[in-house]
Amino acid sequence: MALGSRQGCRWCGRAALGQPRRLRVPEPAGCSARPYSEGGGASEAAGGAELLEVCWRRLFLRGGSGPLPWSAYLSGRHPGFGPLGAALRANLAAQWWDSALPVREQVFPVDAPLHGPPGALRDAQGLRLLHPETLREALQGCGQSPGGPGLDEVLGAAGLLRESLLPGVLAQYVSCLELVNKRLPCGLAQIGVCFHSVPESEHSVSGNEQHNKNLTRIGERTTSLLAWFSSPRTAGQWLDYWLRQRLQWWRKFAVGPSNFSSSDFQDEEGRRGFKLHYSFPWGTETIETLKNLGDTELLQLYPGERSKLLGRDGRRNVIPHVLCVNGNLDRGVLAYLFDSLQVVENPLTAKKNSQRKVLKLHPCLAPLKVALDVGKGPTTELRQVCQGLFNELTENGISVWPGYLETVHVSLEHLYTKYDEMSIPFMVLISDGTLENGVVQLRSRDTTMKEMMHISRLKDFLTKYVTSAKNV
């Protein structure tokens, strides 16, 4: 069979393009007709344990033989995200770059090493990068080998693991200022991994495992940072602007936008700031912090070099104030997983009180946009059609789950459940009818409606769907 022939379809085009036919399926109770409207996730409060099991089983989270408690994922002491969780975080980071930086001509991406250089101050507090054998030799040699390196010397030569992106970003302020011809405002942005101390008492372990509560472990988190440099005269206005912009951004991708909120605070030095929170079932957690740091950090980083710090504010030269917008993308992933969970009646079974779990992640954040599966028909030829469609969609930036590679036959009900829990917005079923007329079945995660569509329309339909969701 010549699958490459084109008569209105790239992969199987014997039939001319026809109008799609819709198969009406009753909408399950409890499922909003507008899947991204506020109040859609009515059952999330009771779904902490349910969500944890789904996220572990569908590889959003890793946890060994079973999922870890939510506290482990919040603290950063966990094995990391699974493939789908990592993809979700990558999509969130991509949206941060695309949408969280509206004045892109004034913002520059930067990079900095994970650790500071050797020779850092010996009395500096923080996590250090040190080979255990070097530390062991220093401890054993104390008072025994006068010529060997002492503990202070070894610690002084060890690099500091970064606990914030801010020092590395501020170190590139002067070069950034030259790029914009010393014109204010301007900004620097980075996404990267940071480390922090986690007391052993906060690290959840199994009940039969012994641990020392005096020990401190290392946790890590993926953070985003925008350092915005503005004149002292307009710093307050810019802080209010970024608060509105960032809260709107977090709410944009949410089923229940009201779960994202803000509160103001002042630090010990009286500097003003805001915290953005998400309301988890156990309480609120901070996902992003905005703060006006003034000029203190810049003056400390560039002692005796005030002239290098001066930027132009109209006709005046001023040392800018630094507005720091610091987000925790790992907690953002957890927030959106909780936000997306819906437990609704299952229309695919006659059993009473039967429910299905759906993760209704925003289309821009969903790790996979479409799943391809085969129905009845010649397996080899159907898989060839799927492979061609897979290549076409991925070449156009649409992430695809290759369900057609499965060799064990399962029911459609099982596939619907699986893909709903994986938060895949659409499932495409290729069958023998596709070989005859080029028509496939397209099922929606959010409405459970099934639509008959010509295969040549899929790419444009999915592209427009994601683009329109992004521009809402």
Side-chain angles (χ1 to χ4, degrees):
M1 181 174 293
L3 295 175
S5 62
R6 294 189 58 130
Q7 295 178 357
C9 171
R10 182 173 180 179
W11 303 114
C12 53
R14 295 193 224 166
L17 178 63
Q19 294 295 322
R21 304 195 307 274
R22 293 182 181 271
L23 302 180
R24 296 285 177 178
V25 178
E27 187 167 320
C31 181
S32 171
R34 297 176 58 198
Y36 300 109
S37 62
E38 185 173 356
S43 302
E44 77 227 6
E50 292 179 333
L51 177 64
L52 187 62
E53 191 273 336
V54 170
C55 290
W56 172 75
R57 181 159 42 86
R58 297 306 179 192
L59 299 181
F60 283 92
L61 304 175
R62 293 177 58 201
S65 59
L68 299 175
W70 285 115
S71 57
Y73 297 103
L74 285 169
S75 69
R77 279 290 304 163
H78 59 88
F81 291 112
L84 294 190
L88 170 56
R89 184 175 59 189
N91 290 344
L92 184 61
Q95 292 301 316
W96 187 85
W97 283 113
D98 290 344
S99 304
L101 307 177
V103 253
R104 297 189 63 83
E105 68 273 10
Q106 296 169 275
V107 177
F108 302 94
V110 296
D111 196 15
L114 288 168
H115 57 84
L121 296 177
R122 296 180 181 178
D123 58 351
Q125 298 296 314
L127 303 170
R128 294 181 177 271
L129 198 62
L130 185 64
H131 196 284
E133 189 63 30
T134 304
L135 178 61
R136 188 178 296 110
E137 292 177 357
L139 292 173
Q140 292 175 351
C142 289
Q144 299 179 13
S145 304
L151 182 59
D152 287 346
E153 183 180 354
V154 169
L155 292 177
L160 285 170
L161 288 175
R162 68 183 181 196
E163 299 186 49
S164 170
L165 298 176
L166 184 62
V169 168
L170 293 183
Q172 304 187 53
Y173 163 72
V174 173
S175 58
C176 166
L177 203 59
E178 295 297 330
L179 282 175
V180 296
N181 197 24
K182 296 185 177 293
R183 185 183 65 253
L184 296 176
C186 61
L188 295 174
Q190 183 181 0
I191 290 179
V193 175
C194 292
F195 303 88
H196 57 276
S197 300
V198 181
E200 180 69 9
S201 58
E202 297 181 11
H203 174 60
S204 299
V205 293
S206 58
N208 60 352
E209 191 174 327
Q210 300 296 322
H211 60 276
N212 189 334
K213 293 184 179 181
N214 295 323
L215 292 178
T216 298
R217 296 176 178 265
I218 297 179
E220 65 178 65
R221 64 193 183 279
T222 301
T223 62
S224 59
L225 179 79
L226 170 65
W228 185 253
F229 308 98
S230 69
S231 71
R233 177 178 57 86
T234 59
Q237 299 173 20
W238 277 113
L239 182 60
D240 292 335
Y241 165 79
W242 284 115
L243 170 64
R244 293 191 301 270
Q245 201 273 338
R246 295 304 301 144
L247 185 58
Q248 181 183 13
W249 183 83
W250 284 104
R251 289 176 169 176
K252 172 182 177 179
F253 305 107
V255 177
S258 61
N259 286 324
F260 291 90
S261 59
S262 65
S263 64
D264 60 339
F265 71 93
Q266 281 191 340
D267 64 9
E268 299 81 1
E269 301 176 19
R271 297 183 293 190
R272 178 171 169 245
F274 296 94
K275 291 184 178 180
L276 302 185
H277 313 277
Y278 180 77
S279 297
F280 289 93
W282 56 82
T284 59
E285 300 283 353
T286 300
I287 56 174
E288 195 163 49
T289 303
L290 300 85
K291 191 175 182 181
N292 182 356
L293 301 177
D295 57 11
T296 305
E297 273 72 10
L298 281 178
L299 292 173
Q300 290 178 349
L301 190 62
Y302 297 91
E305 299 179 287
R306 294 178 63 93
S307 60
K308 290 185 177 181
L309 304 178
L310 295 175
R312 290 190 295 109
D313 176 30
R315 297 182 179 181
R316 300 172 56 218
N317 290 327
V318 297
I319 296 178
H321 280 196
V322 182
L323 306 183
C324 178
V325 183
N326 189 13
N328 188 328
L329 296 186
D330 289 349
R331 285 193 179 182
V333 167
L334 300 181
Y336 282 122
L337 286 174
F338 268 95
D339 174 79
S340 68
L341 176 64
Q342 292 191 3
V343 182
V344 297
E345 293 182 8
N346 191 351
L348 302 174
T349 178
K351 295 180 180 179
K352 291 184 178 181
N353 300 322
S354 177
Q355 295 179 323
R356 66 187 182 99
K357 303 177 185 68
V358 187
L359 296 184
K360 291 193 176 183
L361 289 168
H362 190 279
C364 295
L365 301 184
L368 299 157
K369 313 306 182 195
V370 61
L372 299 182
D373 272 276
V374 294
K376 295 181 180 180
T379 303
T380 301
E381 295 178 350
L382 293 179
R383 286 186 176 178
Q384 288 177 342
V385 175
C386 288
Q387 187 63 58
L389 184 58
F390 178 93
N391 294 338
E392 181 181 26
L393 294 177
T394 53
E395 288 171 2
N396 286 272
I398 300 172
S399 52
V400 183
W401 177 261
Y404 58 89
L405 296 180
E406 290 286 347
T407 56
V408 179
H409 175 74
V410 296
S411 66
L412 285 179
E413 179 181 346
H414 179 87
L415 289 178
Y416 296 156
T417 300
K418 174 182 177 180
Y419 295 148
D420 286 347
E421 293 180 353
M422 293 173 67
S423 194
I424 302 179
F426 294 101
M427 171 188 167
V428 174
L429 188 65
I430 310 292
S431 63
D432 52 0
T434 309
L435 302 177
E436 294 297 326
N437 54 29
V439 174
V440 301
Q441 177 180 286
L442 181 71
R443 180 203 181 251
S444 168
R445 172 201 69 188
D446 297 329
T447 66
T448 71
M449 288 181 57
K450 300 167 188 175
E451 177 179 346
M452 307 307 292
M453 179 180 293
H454 198 274
I455 194 171
S456 63
R457 293 186 54 202
L458 273 175
K459 176 178 67 70
D460 290 340
F461 170 81
L462 293 171
T463 301
K464 291 177 181 178
Y465 176 81
V466 175
T467 301
S468 61
K470 181 178 180 180
N471 294 331
V472 171

